[in-house]
Amino acid sequence: MNTKNKMVRMYKVLSMAFVIFLQIYWYKIRRKPKAEWENLWEKIGVRFRKTLFELEGLLIKIGQILSTRGDLLPEAFIRQIEDLTDHVPPSDWIEIKDILEKEWGNIHQHFHSIETTAIASASIGEVYRGILEDGNEVAIKVKRPHIDSIIETDFRTLKMIIWFADHFVPIPKEFINLKVLYKELKHVIERELDYSYELNTILYFRDRFKEMNEIQIPSVYSELSTPQVLVMEWVEGIRLTDAEALDQIAISRVELATKLLKVFLPQWLEPGIFHADPHPGNVLISKEGKIILLDFGMIGEITKKDAAYFQALIESFLSKNYTKAVECLSHLGFLLPEADSRTIERLLAEISFQPDQLKEMNLVALKLEMNDLIQALPIQVPTRFVFLGRSFVTIEGIIKHLAPEAELLDLGKPVFMEWLNKQGNKWAFVWQWIQSQPVFKILHSVSEFLHTPEKLERLKEIEQRRHFQFQMYENNKKRLFQLTLFGLTGIATGIYTSHELLLKWAIGISTLSAAGYIICNYKLKKWMKYMHEKRKV
């Protein structure tokens, strides 16, 4: 099949989406039990994965990003796509050569030679090895031929699917903002399509870590790089999964793990850009024991505001100020417009724990529990923070592989304290910790206890009223949608049987029910907007 053909791609993706929507709607109408829903999502995941590999392009990237969204999507679906690999057959060298000549003119003006076989090939770009006229070895990253056109088609198709799902599919739209998810996907992919962004990111990281001896970042050849081509220094390194080669270098596994934390902890905690895809192919070790970072196409960013709110969030948890914690979560973009702040405050109080409890916790179980909690609440994790979590979890896995006997918290504590001392805000954290100690907790608990009954009663009443109103709108929408389908079926039957009366009745029913659906949908959106504005007051 020619996967570059726009109509073929749109047909394959739209037909897959349509079948999935029908299956979801059928299960919803039949009120299938949880076990059958699990089986359905597993089958959907298998079909989705098969289509991704068949069509390649943007779809594999979307699958990779969606695989990080355990906060939004069912676990059975995530399991089918979480190990997606971005390896696709390389393009024909003639097409690649045409791109290089278009960007540079005469290739041999700059290069002594270029290997015609790709050393790496992914959905958006391919990497070739070359030797410059001065003898330096370089890695040449080239965008795949026709990829811009393919991705434009895929985005158009995806936008159609999201519009249909947002208006007609019975998914919990009050908890999943599909439009926000689409915008985030578009932003991430568009950055990867322009190698100018990656070039600037590499320059940024080289400047940021220029004083740190533990890290090595390849230099770039700006004069040879364009939005379509990126030329970098060729760097040799040892994969962190290559146990035999790691044993040959004069540095212990625990020291390597500590170096990794020194490189990544500042990225996670300070304002600025962080590497969002540090898998073992992108993080190597030099023979001298330096951490080599490669492939800066997928990055996240923590703004100064984000960093300030994150610090305030940590302080709020330590001092058990959940009103401030909810405010910070709202500013960071975690809460959807329809989230009720009082309900979130109550739930944060119920799930809170002390820092010294972290050591006894099963982090994997905690992550799954948090995913379940997020799916049950009007919370959506912004992509930049999903990437932050992905970066952390990936490095955590690498460290566990490197030093399985070492505790992550034991390794991280001295690195964190060293970082904290450099920031000059150690005492702010100490004060918040003091506030979380028993004497302060008793005062806080007494105050909370005195006001708990009336708070709980008010919360219960508000939530019951809100849930009833929302269900009323949703049930009306569902009935009107079913009536519209019934009318359309009647129209088809009337045309087929040439029954004029049936045709007229069916047209009338489908017209009225479709109009009712549109009005009901408008009222629901207006009500949700009103609820959001009301909560701000």
Side-chain angles (χ1 to χ4, degrees):
M1 176 178 289
N2 182 10
T3 59
K4 294 176 185 175
N5 184 290
K6 292 183 180 182
M7 296 307 295
V8 169
R9 292 184 72 83
M10 289 185 75
Y11 168 75
K12 291 290 290 184
V13 177
L14 289 174
S15 61
M16 174 190 72
F18 183 69
V19 170
I20 290 173
F21 291 159
L22 282 179
Q23 289 175 318
I24 292 173
Y25 207 92
W26 179 248
Y27 271 56
K28 190 83 172 178
I29 292 172
R30 297 290 300 275
R31 296 183 180 180
K32 295 281 188 178
K34 185 178 178 181
E36 290 193 41
W37 274 101
E38 287 286 312
N39 291 333
L40 172 65
W41 281 112
E42 189 171 341
K43 289 175 184 175
I44 289 173
V46 170
R47 181 186 177 93
F48 186 72
R49 182 189 181 95
K50 183 181 176 183
T51 306
L52 298 193
F53 279 120
E54 184 180 343
L55 298 180
E56 301 169 355
L58 168 68
L59 299 176
I60 289 182
K61 278 290 175 193
I62 288 176
Q64 288 177 323
I65 295 171
L66 290 180
S67 71
T68 67
R69 301 311 304 249
D71 57 312
L72 296 182
L73 300 167
E75 187 186 347
F77 176 80
I78 293 289
R79 279 199 305 267
Q80 297 302 318
I81 63 171
E82 62 186 352
D83 62 341
L84 280 173
T85 52
D86 196 12
H87 298 296
V88 296
S91 305
D92 192 299
W93 167 249
I94 302 234
E95 291 185 298
I96 296 296
K97 187 181 177 184
D98 286 342
I99 293 172
L100 296 179
E101 286 178 342
K102 184 179 178 182
E103 298 300 310
W104 295 333
N106 184 3
I107 294 177
H108 299 292
Q109 180 183 349
H110 307 287
F111 286 86
H112 178 268
S113 64
I114 299 177
E115 293 181 10
T116 58
T117 303
I119 59 167
S121 180
S123 57
I124 289 178
E126 303 174 21
V127 179
Y128 293 81
R129 190 172 184 168
I131 301 175
L132 294 171
E133 284 293 338
D134 60 10
N136 288 327
E137 282 190 278
V138 293
I140 307 165
K141 192 172 181 179
V142 190
K143 268 169 61 175
R144 294 179 72 87
H146 318 294
I147 191 64
D148 290 300
S149 174
I150 290 171
I151 285 181
E152 184 184 349
T153 301
D154 289 349
F155 270 131
R156 192 178 295 122
T157 308
L158 186 62
K159 194 170 185 178
M160 291 166 61
I161 292 170
I162 285 176
W163 181 88
F164 186 84
D166 199 42
H167 287 82
F168 299 106
V169 180
I171 57 177
K173 291 178 280 296
E174 76 278 17
F175 294 159
I176 300 177
N177 194 322
L178 295 173
K179 291 176 183 175
V180 170
L181 187 59
Y182 171 79
K183 286 179 183 176
E184 291 175 347
L185 282 170
K186 199 166 187 289
H187 175 71
V188 171
I189 300 295
E190 283 177 347
R191 280 189 66 95
E192 285 204 57
L193 280 173
D194 188 343
Y195 287 158
S196 300
Y197 287 112
E198 187 170 351
L199 183 145
N200 291 330
T201 302
I202 295 172
L203 294 174
Y204 168 85
F205 270 90
R206 282 180 62 81
D207 182 64
R208 181 175 183 176
F209 292 107
K210 62 186 176 186
E211 305 296 332
M212 188 181 284
N213 294 324
E214 288 93 347
I215 187 170
Q216 180 181 349
I217 296 167
S219 58
V220 288
Y221 293 81
S222 302
E223 69 280 6
L224 293 174
S225 298
T226 72
Q228 315 295 322
V229 180
L230 180 62
V231 182
M232 301 162 285
E233 170 192 6
W234 182 269
V235 180
E236 295 282 358
I238 302 166
R239 277 180 171 263
L240 291 164
T241 51
D242 190 345
E244 195 174 315
L246 289 176
D247 290 336
Q248 304 301 315
I249 62 175
I251 183 170
S252 71
R253 303 291 182 86
V254 172
E255 286 176 297
L256 279 178
T258 304
K259 282 188 176 186
L260 273 174
L261 284 173
K262 284 185 178 180
V263 168
F264 280 92
L265 193 69
Q267 296 182 48
W268 299 332
L269 298 175
E270 296 173 11
I273 295 169
F274 62 88
H275 197 302
D277 194 22
H279 62 73
N282 290 339
V283 183
L284 307 178
I285 303 296
S286 71
K287 291 180 181 178
E288 298 75 33
K290 289 187 176 185
I291 306 293
I292 301 171
L293 288 189
L294 303 173
D295 194 350
F296 295 85
M298 190 177 287
I299 58 164
E301 184 175 4
I302 301 174
T303 65
K304 287 183 179 179
K305 279 187 177 180
D306 286 343
Y309 281 124
F310 260 127
Q311 181 177 328
L313 184 64
I314 294 169
E315 292 172 357
S316 302
F317 273 114
L318 288 174
S319 59
K320 296 192 176 296
N321 185 347
Y322 300 114
T323 302
K324 186 179 177 183
V326 170
E327 186 182 330
C328 292
L329 287 171
S330 179
H331 282 295
L332 288 167
F334 282 87
L335 302 185
L336 291 177
E338 51 277 6
D340 184 90
S341 57
R342 295 187 183 92
T343 303
I344 304 296
E345 281 177 38
R346 179 167 53 85
L347 287 165
L348 289 178
E350 288 176 3
I351 66 168
S352 65
F353 49 82
Q354 294 299 315
D356 56 3
Q357 291 177 282
L358 276 172
K359 203 162 186 175
E360 286 79 40
M361 280 188 178
N362 181 332
L363 293 180
V364 175
L366 176 64
K367 182 179 183 295
L368 293 174
E369 188 178 332
M370 291 302 294
N371 282 346
D372 291 340
L373 178 65
I374 288 170
Q375 285 182 331
L377 291 171
I379 295 173
Q380 183 160 310
V381 184
T383 297
R384 64 190 188 280
F385 300 129
V386 172
F387 282 174
L388 189 67
R390 171 189 175 131
S391 180
F392 173 78
V393 169
T394 307
I395 292 299
E396 180 196 11
I398 291 173
I399 288 173
K400 282 183 177 178
H401 177 78
L402 277 175
E405 302 302 319
E407 284 284 346
L408 182 63
L409 289 174
D410 291 337
L411 288 172
K413 186 177 179 180
V415 178
F416 176 73
M417 292 309 295
E418 182 184 333
W419 173 83
L420 203 59
N421 285 325
K422 288 179 182 176
Q423 303 309 303
N425 58 357
K426 179 180 179 180
W427 295 111
F429 278 93
V430 170
W431 170 239
Q432 296 299 332
W433 178 80
I434 290 171
Q435 284 184 285
S436 70
Q437 296 310 296
V439 65
F440 285 91
K441 284 197 292 183
I442 289 170
L443 294 173
H444 178 79
S445 298
V446 169
S447 174
E448 285 291 303
F449 177 75
L450 292 174
H451 294 90
T452 293
E454 59 183 276
K455 280 185 178 180
L456 287 177
E457 194 61 37
R458 188 168 63 248
L459 279 170
K460 186 178 178 182
E461 184 183 345
I462 290 171
E463 283 306 301
Q464 284 178 342
R465 209 181 302 156
R466 175 179 173 271
H467 183 72
F468 174 77
Q469 185 69 37
F470 181 79
Q471 283 299 122
M472 187 175 71
Y473 279 123
E474 281 292 294
N475 288 338
N476 287 340
K477 279 178 64 180
K478 186 170 76 171
R479 292 189 190 100
L480 287 166
F481 183 70
Q482 290 171 345
L483 196 58
T484 303
L485 290 178
F486 178 73
L488 292 173
T489 305
I491 290 172
T493 306
I495 293 171
Y496 182 76
T497 60
S498 301
H499 196 296
E500 189 177 344
L501 183 61
L502 175 62
L503 184 61
K504 287 180 179 178
W505 270 101
I507 291 173
I509 290 171
S510 59
T511 302
L512 289 173
S513 57
Y517 179 89
I518 292 168
I519 293 168
C520 191
N521 189 55
Y522 170 75
K523 284 185 175 181
L524 174 60
K525 288 187 176 179
K526 190 176 178 181
W527 175 77
M528 289 175 71
K529 184 179 179 182
Y530 164 74
M531 289 299 294
H532 175 50
E533 294 300 324
K534 187 178 178 182
R535 285 171 188 144
K536 282 183 176 179
V537 177

